[in-house]
Amino acid sequence: VGRAQLLAQFHEAMLGIYDAARRLKPPYVPGDFRRMVVEMGGKATADKLLAMDKPSDGFGTLLLRGKEALKLSVEYVVLQHPWRQLFEPEQLAIARRRLQEVRCELPPEDVDTPSEPEDGEEAGSIEVPGDGTDRVIYFNNCKNRDHKGLFGRGAFYDLNLTGIQATQAVGLQPGQECVVATTAPDNRVIFTWYSFLRERRLRERGSADRTLCRVFFGDPLLAETFSKEDAATNPRYRAFFNVKGHFKQQSTISAMVPHGQRPTDPPADSSEIRDLRRELRELQRPDRPKTPEMLRRVQRILRSYEGPSAITRYVKRMRGSTCQLCEDPGFVMRNGQRYCEAHHLFHLSKNPPPECLGPEYLVILCATCHRRMHYADVGEPVRDRGGWRVRVDDKEMVFRI
Ligand SMILES: [Zn+2]
Ligand SMILES: [Zn+2]
């Protein structure tokens, strides 16, 4: 993810603070804050608030609502991954101090700041994994609405603000898996899986209807098509159907789906992965001399491949959160899911395979083992039946994939 893209996403996250504050009970409507974000941009607003000699009134208001509400403060948000990389260490220190002064718990990624890595690389590749939970939220797109066209990139569903729908699908956590069913010709149904990112209140583009909708945004994971009859008996999708094999009336349905019943196709390449792949291929052209600078760039690409993406979410979903090195199951996060990280096996290799941006090159590790794989004495991975063999210090380890 480039800096410009990250800044744009941070801007959205700052607007998200406003949306989330309004959903507090009773609602808190920080209108001045929102105006600042709209006028100055998210990053400049955060810079300004952190530069003030004391926390804003909004910080005080959130504090009065309890420590949980303080997680909506700019101070808390800037300490979170990936936004923290947009800020200077001094700014992060100010945010941390303000939260510590009121004994607010810090985001997990800020508690254990790792030692500075070599080569000027960025520390931390922490992400909220989209796995661990078996609950799937089903959305019935019975009107075949084009959510992307109506609400913008990443939008996959919308609900009315009022009526029975307003109370449905509450409390989706980032990483929550959602399936949208859309009907297609010949009595077929397309099921598209998304990893939920955020909810926003928006009006339809270019529509005379000015009412606000709850709009859900996420990353597409994969899609598959079935005949309606086959779908109604498929354990993955039967939650959509009543006993007669017709679609249920509700727009949203929550159901449990066993891990083994989930679709297993690797995710389609997202544009960011395609860009990384192109850059890597260019760097590894046979006629290009292997300079230390070029090697550093390759390693940086492999490092960013470990960050949040459809691929890492897919790998976490398929293999679970348990560390493949020490078998630690991962600690339980506030959202109930278990924490883990994705690691690229050829990260420090002098000679990574040219096509190494695929899910089979990633392994799941706990935070400690991930650091170990980056800083300990680690050999070149060797492909073995069903996985990889890698020497870590003086022990040979096998990673199943
Ligand atoms: Zn481990
Ligand atoms: Zn790694």
Side-chain angles (χ1 to χ4, degrees), residues 163-353:
I164 186 146
Q165 286 194 354
T167 56
Q168 295 178 340
V170 286
L172 288 186
Q173 296 285 348
Q176 171 70 58
E177 287 184 4
C178 305
V179 185
V180 179
T182 306
T183 49
D186 303 327
N187 209 26
R188 286 172 313 134
V189 188
I190 304 164
F191 298 95
T192 313
W193 289 64
Y194 293 89
S195 173
F196 174 76
L197 276 178
R198 64 172 166 272
E199 178 185 335
R200 297 201 57 199
R201 278 152 204 243
L202 294 172
R203 294 186 173 88
E204 283 179 25
R205 279 181 184 170
S207 156
D209 183 4
R210 303 312 292 158
T211 54
L212 284 165
C213 306
R214 292 176 62 191
V215 184
F216 300 89
F217 290 81
D219 290 320
L221 297 171
L222 56 109
E224 47 184 10
T225 306
F226 284 95
S227 73
K228 201 172 152 201
E229 291 72 41
D230 288 348
T233 55
N234 186 314
R236 248 179 257 165
Y237 302 119
R238 66 178 164 223
F240 274 115
F241 300 91
N242 65 22
V243 284
K244 288 185 176 157
H246 300 306
F247 269 109
K248 288 179 184 165
Q249 293 288 316
Q250 298 107 292
S251 307
T252 75
I253 299 152
S254 162
M256 305 295 284
V257 173
H259 261 292
Q261 293 293 353
R262 290 163 185 236
T264 53
D265 299 353
D269 275 6
S270 62
S271 58
E272 70 216 27
I273 301 283
R274 266 204 304 278
D275 290 347
L276 288 180
R277 197 163 282 164
R278 195 177 315 122
E279 196 182 339
L280 185 65
R281 219 175 289 132
E282 176 60 27
L283 283 169
Q284 292 192 302
R285 264 187 3 228
D287 57 321
R288 232 187 137 107
K290 284 202 186 330
T291 62
E293 165 58 16
M294 170 267 195
L295 194 61
R296 264 196 298 277
R297 280 177 63 189
V298 168
Q299 290 174 352
R300 214 169 297 139
I301 290 173
L302 299 185
R303 177 62 177 253
S304 55
Y305 185 70
E306 297 180 348
S309 73
I311 304 249
T312 52
R313 274 189 294 278
Y314 166 78
V315 171
K316 289 175 181 187
R317 200 179 54 189
M318 295 314 295
R319 300 205 209 128
S321 67
T322 301
C323 175
Q324 292 188 259
L325 199 54
C326 75
E327 295 183 348
D328 184 286
F331 63 85
V332 178
M333 298 185 291
R334 277 189 306 279
N335 66 10
Q337 302 181 351
R338 286 190 181 271
Y339 179 86
C340 62
E341 298 179 6
H343 169 66
H344 195 285
L345 278 175
F346 284 82
H347 173 60
L348 286 179
S349 168
K350 299 237 179 304
N351 214 358

Side-chain angles (χ1 to χ4, degrees), residues 54-156:
K54 61 182 180 53
S56 68
D57 293 343
F59 186 91
T61 307
L62 290 170
L63 176 60
L64 290 175
R65 299 298 183 90
K67 304 239 161 75
E68 205 52 38
L70 263 187
K71 289 177 183 165
L72 297 178
S73 64
V74 170
E75 282 77 2
Y76 191 90
V77 171
V78 300
L79 288 173
Q80 287 181 302
H81 182 81
W83 318 128
R84 49 190 295 117
Q85 57 188 279
L86 290 171
F87 294 88
E88 300 300 324
E90 299 84 306
Q91 293 179 297
L92 296 179
I94 290 169
R96 193 176 301 125
R97 204 185 51 235
R98 287 179 185 174
L99 291 168
Q100 281 171 334
E101 270 167 12
V102 297
R103 299 191 194 291
C104 174
E105 172 192 358
L106 299 172
E109 54 267 52
D110 193 64
V111 175
D112 201 0
T113 312
S115 56
E116 276 313 303
E118 312 138 7
D119 292 336
E121 286 170 352
E122 251 169 51
S125 68
I126 294 165
E127 117 172 68
V128 177
D131 56 7
T133 170
D134 283 322
R135 195 165 73 104
V136 174
I137 307 296
Y138 294 89
F139 292 96
N140 186 356
N141 185 18
C142 52
K143 293 179 189 148
N144 277 16
R145 273 161 75 77
D146 167 23
H147 298 100
K148 265 191 225 61
L150 292 170
F151 302 107
R153 204 159 58 92
F156 67 86

